[in-house]
Amino acid sequence: MTAAQRGHDVVLFEREAEIGGQFRMAARIPGKDEFYETIRYFREMLERLSVTVKMQTEPTPDELSMFDHVVIAQGVVPRVPEIRGTDLPHVVTYAQVLNGEVQVGRQIAIIGAGGIGCDVATFLAEGSHAPADVQAFFALQSLPTPPAMPREITVLARSDRYGHGIGRSTRWVVKQEMNRLGIRVVTNVDFREITPEGVRITSPDGDVFVKADQVILCAGQEAHETLAEALKGKVAVHVVGGARDSRGINAARAIREAFEVAYQIS
């Protein structure tokens, strides 16, 4: 958007069928549906600025080498922790859950108690069914709220705290809501293995087996594999946001880095 405002001809490639990326997942969390408005804003601005948007497209290095500059903003992917059993069929990532790619179970163990883990727990406990499509979301506002499905949710944290990554001013609200929804949190966990029936852990209470018909990985993020190396020496490449560094990534930092790069391009 910024590059187009500065007079550049811009082509935006998106692998999925919709723009938004992490914003689409965030918007499904109870209380965060304003992110749908953010996506709507960017969609409108891209159209007004005549940015060419190519959906469901993954360009090759040869295609990208035809441009003067390539900005890589492919973001992050869920991190898979080194725990035995993560390859079992009932183990899924938070992205698969929030994108509606998997059927969600009824007895759930969530590995990771940061902001993502707490958000996913709240999302599942409230039985949120917000659609990914913006227009569909607003159309549903006049309909009765679907009944929450009963779920037994246990959040497992390695440290003695949970909710890190959530702003200090809102962390207590999130914790209070999790308590209201009956979400169980176990801290100071050492993960032993994931089995078809649940998760074996060591906690302050000793060796514990947490029964679960589904295990959701919310153990952080890592940078998405990009084409930066393949493009080296062929075109000017700029990597921004989570694709550059996934540590502590948030929307504000990713957008700022993209904005700065757009202003550096002459």
Side-chain angles (χ1 to χ4, degrees):
M1 188 180 80
T2 303
Q5 288 172 328
R6 298 191 65 231
H8 297 288
D9 292 326
V10 183
V11 178
L12 176 63
F13 294 95
E14 169 55 44
R15 182 178 58 182
E16 305 297 336
E18 298 178 72
I19 67 168
Q22 298 287 316
F23 273 9
R24 287 207 317 275
M25 284 189 278
R28 293 179 65 83
I29 304 302
K32 295 187 177 182
D33 49 35
E34 69 273 9
F35 281 113
Y36 284 121
E37 281 292 277
T38 305
I39 297 171
R40 187 170 72 88
Y41 163 75
F42 279 117
R43 182 188 288 119
E44 176 70 20
M45 291 303 295
L46 290 172
E47 185 175 340
R48 289 188 186 185
L49 293 166
S50 299
V51 172
T52 300
V53 181
K54 297 189 176 184
M55 307 302 299
Q56 296 179 290
T57 303
E58 293 189 71
T60 65
D62 286 342
E63 289 177 291
L64 293 176
S65 65
M66 304 300 292
F67 292 85
D68 297 318
H69 292 266
V70 174
V71 180
I72 296 179
Q74 289 174 281
V76 295
V77 293
R79 186 178 75 85
V80 178
E82 294 182 2
I83 303 172
R84 187 167 57 186
T86 54
D87 58 343
L88 291 172
H90 68 308
V91 179
V92 299
T93 68
Y94 68 84
Q96 290 175 297
V97 172
L98 294 177
N99 286 328
E101 299 174 13
V102 294
Q103 183 77 26
V104 179
R106 288 289 168 262
Q107 198 170 33
I108 299 166
I110 295 177
I111 294 180
I116 295 174
C118 292
D119 276 349
V120 169
T122 304
F123 167 74
L124 295 176
E126 291 201 354
S128 176
H129 298 285
D133 180 76
V134 182
Q135 285 75 21
F137 169 77
F138 284 108
L140 283 177
Q141 297 311 291
S142 60
L143 300 179
T145 303
M149 300 298 288
R151 289 191 175 106
E152 182 181 327
I153 301 172
T154 302
V155 178
L156 304 171
R158 286 188 184 275
S159 69
D160 60 353
R161 298 186 305 160
Y162 67 97
H164 52 277
I166 303 174
R168 292 183 180 181
S169 60
T170 56
R171 188 181 302 144
W172 69 273
V173 178
V174 172
K175 289 184 175 182
Q176 188 177 59
E177 183 68 2
M178 291 174 67
N179 184 61
R180 182 186 71 81
L181 292 168
I183 298 168
R184 177 189 176 206
V185 180
V186 182
T187 58
N188 292 307
V189 166
D190 182 24
F191 296 99
R192 295 172 58 192
E193 68 171 327
I194 300 171
T195 75
E197 294 78 30
V199 185
R200 297 187 186 279
I201 65 172
T202 299
S203 75
D205 295 326
D207 292 340
V208 178
F209 184 73
V210 179
K211 291 184 178 181
D213 57 35
Q214 188 168 59
V215 178
I216 303 174
L217 303 178
C218 299
Q221 304 162 318
E222 56 189 16
H224 196 293
E225 185 177 347
T226 72
L227 295 171
E229 193 64 31
L231 291 171
K232 188 176 293 184
K234 297 181 180 180
V235 63
V237 179
H238 315 267
V239 185
V240 301
R244 183 185 68 80
D245 185 358
S246 63
R247 293 170 297 183
I249 186 63
N250 56 36
R253 197 195 91 194
I255 292 174
R256 184 185 70 248
E257 289 181 7
F259 180 85
E260 290 171 351
V261 163
Y263 260 86
Q264 292 167 6
I265 296 174
S266 59

